[in-house]
Amino acid sequence: MNDATASIGTMATEAFDMLIDAVDQIAPERWSQPSNLEGWTLRDLVGHAIGSAAKIVTLVEDGEIWAGPSRPADWVCDDPAGRLRELAARLREALPGADLDAMRVSPEGEVPLRRALVYPVSDLALHTWDVERSQGRQIELPENLFALCRGLLGSVPESMLRRPGGFGPAQPVPSGATPTTGLMAFLGRSVDGRGQLPAS
């Protein structure tokens, strides 16, 4: 595995680990409660994230990719954390032999695997924040995943970013907001003054 493969591979496995940790902390009674995303329960949110995780693995394994976002109902299961661990194990097995220059289907059309992975890996990182937020916690994305998400969003036209089914209107950013909080507010998440940098 070359350095470029290692980099996106490391980010993919890191995003998996973060999501698994967040899902492990969901109390049984919380699954049917609303998430921070309108119209979705916490189970729906995690179901969608599992679909993104499956897309990462399918891309690396050169399987058949479905078009559009992952629908929560297609991925809801009785053991979400277990399902994510199964997918993470498949990813770790497939990554060493992955050819990141091989062409894969993506929202941009046919692109090298390294570029195709940017979409679902970013989705996994952003929705980990959503899962934590839905449980009353806030996290900061690691610097590499934050940069990946920010870079992807900066390359997407505003009209595509805010299309129906995409991200909502940007929300106010509190004074002193952390980088991740500012990013999530830009993506339409309500941050309610949380996620602020400590006073110096």
Side-chain angles (χ1 to χ4, degrees), residues 109-122:
E110 290 269 327
V111 298
L113 174 57
R114 72 181 76 252
R115 177 62 182 175
L117 285 171
V118 170
Y119 289 87
V121 171
S122 295

Side-chain angles (χ1 to χ4, degrees), residues 107-183:
E108 297 176 6
E110 290 269 327
V111 298
L113 174 57
R114 72 181 76 252
R115 177 62 182 175
L117 285 171
V118 170
Y119 289 87
V121 171
S122 295
D123 200 58
L124 221 58
L126 296 173
H127 286 314
T128 296
W129 186 94
D130 288 322
V131 172
E132 295 283 16
R133 170 71 173 180
S134 297
Q135 299 179 80
R137 297 186 294 271
Q138 297 241 155
I139 61 166
E140 281 299 300
L141 297 179
E143 186 175 341
N144 58 348
L145 286 171
F146 175 85
L148 184 77
C149 295
R150 198 69 190 98
L152 173 62
L153 295 168
S155 71
V156 176
E158 184 77 7
S159 59
M160 182 178 293
L161 194 68
R162 309 292 178 188
R163 73 189 188 284
F167 297 104
Q171 299 299 304
V173 180
S175 175
T178 64
T180 297
T181 299
L183 176 65

Side-chain angles (χ1 to χ4, degrees), residues 47-129:
H48 169 77
I50 290 172
S52 296
K55 190 168 280 190
I56 292 169
V57 176
T58 304
L59 283 166
V60 173
E61 293 179 339
D62 195 17
E64 186 174 345
I65 291 294
W66 54 97
S70 300
R71 297 180 304 177
D74 293 340
W75 300 97
V76 168
C77 60
D78 292 333
D79 182 13
R83 178 69 173 129
L84 285 167
R85 285 186 172 89
E86 290 172 12
L87 289 166
R90 281 173 54 190
L91 177 65
R92 287 183 170 92
E93 183 176 344
L95 270 173
D99 176 5
L100 287 208
D101 293 321
M103 301 304 284
R104 296 286 192 274
V105 175
S106 85
E108 297 176 6
E110 290 269 327
V111 298
L113 174 57
R114 72 181 76 252
R115 177 62 182 175
L117 285 171
V118 170
Y119 289 87
V121 171
S122 295
D123 200 58
L124 221 58
L126 296 173
H127 286 314
T128 296
W129 186 94

